[in-house]
Amino acid sequence: MIHPKVPANPLPASIQNLTAPALYQPQPLTPAACHCQHPTYVPAPVPVPAASASRLSPAGVLAVVGGGTAVVLVVGAVLVSLLLAVAITGASVAICALVVRSLMNSQRPTR
């Protein structure tokens, strides 16, 4: 059940039904001897990065800190302005709703 079943017919059904059986001649496969010499593996030397490439001067550190501070301030200002715009829009919609409600109540006939 677990082992695959190999079909006993070496030819496909479409080729077997042909009238000229000489069209398909299977060739026996014989392994060829390989007399190749494989080169030995020599690992390439790993280049060592320069130590000064990862170090920053004091001026570079100040530039990175200043740039980071500027980015934080700009992003904060944008987010605060978006929040303020949403708050102003919500207040405007609430005031408009109150005015429309007041107008609708004033036009209702009194009994």
Side-chain angles (χ1 to χ4, degrees):
M1 182 174 171
I2 296 175
H3 300 290
K5 295 181 181 179
V6 179
N9 187 6
L11 297 175
S14 61
I15 295 177
Q16 190 177 17
N17 293 337
L18 293 176
T19 57
L23 292 176
Y24 178 76
Q25 295 291 332
Q27 299 293 328
L29 296 177
T30 57
C34 179
H35 299 290
C36 304
Q37 291 184 354
H38 298 288
T40 58
Y41 174 72
V42 178
V46 178
V48 178
S52 63
S54 62
R55 293 182 184 165
L56 289 175
S57 64
V61 171
L62 287 176
V64 170
V65 170
T69 304
V71 168
V72 168
L73 289 176
V74 168
V75 170
V78 168
L79 292 177
V80 167
S81 64
L82 288 173
L83 181 63
L84 186 60
V86 169
I88 290 173
T89 304
S92 300
V93 169
I95 290 172
C96 290
L98 289 175
V99 169
V100 169
R101 180 179 169 192
S102 174
L103 289 173
M104 295 289 284
N105 285 339
S106 67
Q107 291 181 357
R108 185 181 300 170
T110 56
R111 294 184 187 189

